[in-house]
Amino acid sequence: MRALVTGGAGFIGSNLVDALVERGDDVLALDDLSSGRSANLEPARGEGARLIEGDIADSALVRELVAELKPQAVFHLAAQIDVRRSISDPGFDLRVNVGATLNLLAAAHDSGCERFLLASTGGAIYGEGDGRELPLPEDADRRPDAPYGQSKYAAEGYVSLWSRLYGLSTAALRLGNVYGPRQDPHGEAGVVAIFSRALLGGEAPRVFGDGEQTRDYVYVGDVVDAFLAASRSRAGGAFNVGTGVETSVLELGHLIGEACGVEFEPRLEPARAGEVQRISIDSGRAERELGWRAQVSLADGIAETAAHFRSGSEGPRPAG
Ligand SMILES: NC(=O)c1ccc[n+]([C@@H]2O[C@H](COP(=O)([O-])OP(=O)(O)OC[C@H]3O[C@@H](n4cnc5c(N)ncnc54)[C@H](O)[C@@H]3O)[C@@H](O)[C@H]2O)c1
């Protein structure tokens, strides 16, 4: 299958590209390398995958590229993912996460694409889970706390509209807190990567608030499998991709400490405004309709992640 993966040099995107190449797809990754790294694609490029460095918000480039490749499947993962930046510059977040999604949808439809999948978000769309029955199903109220969640929700709306208006087969995968090899340990998000790097470097990880806040952590290999399952299906709408299990930051830290062979002794700092206290998502729909459910236990996934960071394969901090 000819596949286009936007954000293919990023954490989840590059793991997905590896899996697509392994299943025999002809893969093109489009990425501006703003947070992704071309090194993430070295193994896949050795097997024939291609990387085009460019901006998904550049509609002429997207049209040209899509018209030339005629992808049968588009995996749209490129995004502005920084929640704080979405608050300080919501217009930029809107242009990248919504405007560029429209560019891609139009180009994909015009070129005869058979399946369009959007990487959406579980946590940031639903908002605070405290006081609600967890795990949340797809039809739970959407109450984003930041422009990032709102822009993903708006993008989901356009993606499903393109199905109704033009018959393009689309779906949105609402991902939980994804972790695993290649996650950026230098960013604001990605607590497993950040803790692993700190603990292996002999530093005390910072925990904001009391550490009792919970998230639904899902291993990147499971997320890749969800994209593969969704690409084989024609089911539409939104699918939660998580474990349904809440894990607190402190529990997570202790598990990472065990995997790294280091005592987890965090530095507690004041809670950050706008962080949700509890969240987990119910992936029953993905199980029923895509035949997907998370397979990797948190302990096993963390062990894989710690081994990756121990080997130093995340490389130096990107410039800028
Ligand atoms: N990591 C998570 O926990 C998580 C949770 C929910 C949803 N998601 C979604 O999954 C997708 C991938 O996230 P990730 O964690 O792999 O982050 P990432 O930053 O590693 O990947 C995003 C990729 O998109 C590229 N990119 C950004 N803006 C671009 C642009 N304008 N043009 C071309 N490329 C651009 C970046 O260089 C990067 O390679 C995103 O859409 C994100 O919103 C991630």
Side-chain angles (χ1 to χ4, degrees):
M1 185 180 266
R2 287 183 307 282
L4 172 65
V5 182
T6 72
F11 159 49
I12 303 171
S14 63
N15 280 286
L16 175 61
V17 168
D18 285 348
L20 292 170
V21 165
E22 198 178 322
R23 93 173 174 185
D25 284 12
D26 173 11
V27 186
L28 181 73
L30 171 62
D31 200 300
D32 68 356
L33 303 182
S34 54
S35 61
R37 303 168 62 227
S38 59
N40 286 342
L41 285 175
E42 254 165 41
R45 288 168 87 184
E47 301 292 321
R50 289 172 290 155
L51 167 66
I52 299 281
E53 200 177 325
D55 183 353
I56 49 162
D58 178 343
S59 53
L61 169 79
V62 166
R63 283 204 159 271
E64 205 177 295
L65 206 66
V66 172
E68 195 185 309
L69 179 70
K70 295 195 180 9
Q72 289 152 300
V74 172
F75 299 86
H76 180 29
L77 280 76
Q80 189 306 109
I81 65 163
D82 184 335
V83 173
R84 282 160 189 240
R85 180 161 190 196
S86 81
I87 293 171
S88 64
D89 193 353
F92 177 75
D93 184 79
L94 177 77
R95 278 195 297 283
V96 177
N97 291 357
V98 185
T101 299
L102 268 175
N103 290 343
L104 263 169
L105 278 168
H109 168 61
D110 289 351
S111 72
C113 174
E114 293 160 21
R115 185 73 165 152
F116 187 104
L117 297 172
L118 171 74
S120 185
T121 166
I125 277 190
Y126 297 116
E128 180 58 75
D130 200 18
R132 300 159 84 179
E133 195 180 330
L134 298 180
L136 295 175
E138 288 84 357
D139 60 2
D141 272 2
R142 269 74 72 187
R143 303 175 196 157
D145 293 314
Y148 167 69
Q150 183 57 55
S151 66
K152 285 283 181 179
Y153 186 38
E156 279 191 8
Y158 281 103
V159 164
S160 67
L161 174 66
W162 246 246
S163 290
R164 294 191 297 279
L165 202 54
Y166 299 113
L168 178 63
S169 172
T170 67
L173 302 190
R174 291 184 181 159
L175 314 179
N177 273 63
V178 189
Y179 70 95
R182 295 188 189 145
Q183 188 158 34
D184 179 6
H186 307 288
E188 283 289 324
V191 65
V192 176
I194 294 168
F195 281 7
S196 301
R197 180 171 167 273
L199 288 170
L200 290 168
E203 293 166 28
R206 291 189 304 165
V207 166
F208 298 94
D210 61 7
E212 297 298 339
Q213 59 273 42
T214 64
R215 299 288 181 270
D216 186 330
Y217 295 98
V218 58
Y219 186 62
V220 68
D222 280 329
V223 171
V224 165
D225 285 345
F227 274 105
L228 297 182
S231 75
R232 291 188 294 266
S233 161
R234 290 294 174 265
F239 292 91
N240 286 339
V241 173
T243 62
V245 176
E246 285 181 81
T247 304
S248 76
V249 171
L250 291 182
E251 279 174 81
L252 185 78
H254 288 296
L255 281 170
I256 298 171
E258 274 169 34
C260 294
V262 184
E263 192 72 26
F264 175 67
E265 286 170 3
R267 260 188 300 148
L268 294 182
E269 301 208 351
R272 290 193 291 197
E275 263 203 34
V276 304
Q277 192 57 29
R278 292 181 61 201
I279 187 73
S280 67
I281 54 177
D282 178 353
S283 297
R285 182 172 182 228
E287 183 163 4
R288 288 188 301 276
E289 297 188 31
L290 303 178
W292 175 88
R293 65 179 295 183
Q295 300 291 334
V296 179
S297 71
L298 192 53
D300 286 351
I302 283 175
E304 285 289 328
T305 311
H308 169 80
F309 285 105
R310 196 179 285 115
S311 74
S313 31
E314 86 274 19
R317 185 186 184 118

